Amino acid sequence: MKFNIRGENIEVTPALREFVEQKVGKLDRYFEDGLNANVNVNLKVYNNKQKIEVTIPMTQLTLRAEESHDDLYAAIDLVTDKLERQIRKHKTRVNRKLRDAGSPKFMFTNGVEPRNFEDDEEEEVVRTKRFNLKPMDSEEAILQMNMLGHNFFVYTNASTNNTNVVYKRSDGKYGIIEPS
């Protein structure tokens, strides 16, 4: 792993750099041939709040996590735990698909935390809905979504005639997904 550690409003000391490399470096054990990727770490301090963002771009997936805490070292531990959960979840999915396809090669090593796949919850579609998409503008779609009490709403954009999705963001504002 190659680390790119940046600090915003904080000096990245050698001790801090070593701690980040040690903690994030433990993720290497989850990969069969080791993790050969650039690890981008961004450390931020604003108003006595410590924040760490870690992005690991790889060929088949991108691992990304961020965490805030009063203590930077605790935030580093939390973000590492979050990345481990992402890896385990993806590992289970990839290995199950490859095993079902009869492939002998796994992307992830099998030496770490053997899992009983039968105990995993299956991700299955439990309900299918069909409905006609009414042409409307985004404001009307937001109104419809709020009236239904949903987090998103699928509609046909009246001006472009494309299918769009309006959704409520975690910050309370709204976003629109539209095809390119």
Side-chain angles (χ1 to χ4, degrees):
M1 280 189 262
K2 297 175 188 156
F3 288 90
N4 178 17
I5 302 173
R6 285 189 19 208
E8 292 183 26
N9 296 334
I10 185 173
E11 179 186 343
V12 180
T13 63
L16 187 58
R17 175 179 295 279
E18 183 179 326
F19 188 77
V20 169
E21 288 178 2
Q22 174 198 4
K23 286 294 186 174
V24 177
K26 288 182 180 180
L27 300 176
D28 198 35
R29 67 181 181 189
Y30 288 98
F31 297 88
E32 195 168 82
D33 299 325
L35 184 57
N36 187 16
N38 293 323
V39 179
N40 300 310
V41 179
N42 197 5
L43 306 169
K44 299 178 184 181
V45 176
Y46 292 107
N47 300 329
N48 295 331
K49 197 71 168 171
Q50 321 290 324
K51 184 175 184 179
I52 178 171
E53 298 173 355
V54 179
T55 307
I56 307 173
M58 296 184 299
T59 55
Q60 297 178 349
L61 82 145
T62 298
L63 298 171
R64 185 181 186 292
E66 62 183 62
E67 197 63 54
S68 296
H69 199 275
D70 294 335
D71 178 25
L72 186 59
Y73 289 92
I76 294 168
D77 287 336
L78 291 171
V79 82
T80 304
D81 292 343
K82 199 177 266 190
L83 288 167
E84 281 188 73
R85 283 192 303 274
Q86 287 180 14
I87 290 171
R88 277 195 228 110
K89 185 175 182 180
H90 190 74
K91 173 186 172 183
T92 301
R93 287 182 182 163
V94 167
N95 285 346
R96 181 182 297 134
K97 285 180 184 176
L98 291 175
R99 186 186 69 220
D100 291 345
S103 174
K105 185 78 171 160
F106 295 108
M107 175 182 176
F108 297 100
T109 181
N110 286 322
V112 178
E113 295 183 31
R115 309 248 331 202
N116 185 355
F117 292 104
E118 287 72 31
D119 291 342
D120 288 346
E121 286 185 28
E122 290 291 324
E123 293 179 10
E124 61 179 302
V125 177
V126 294
R127 183 175 179 189
T128 301
K129 272 186 161 180
R130 287 187 170 69
F131 55 94
N132 292 327
L133 297 178
K134 177 184 167 195
M136 60 181 76
D137 60 6
S138 59
E139 289 81 17
E140 186 179 349
I142 291 171
L143 267 170
Q144 291 287 330
M145 176 184 67
N146 289 333
M147 285 185 353
L148 292 170
H150 291 177
N151 299 347
F152 68 94
F153 187 78
V154 180
Y155 68 100
T156 299
N157 187 321
S159 60
T160 63
N161 209 25
N162 286 332
T163 302
N164 290 1
V165 177
V166 66
Y167 63 97
K168 191 165 194 167
R169 297 168 35 101
S170 59
D171 61 4
K173 297 179 182 174
Y174 299 98
I176 294 178
I177 300 173
E178 45 187 33
S180 55

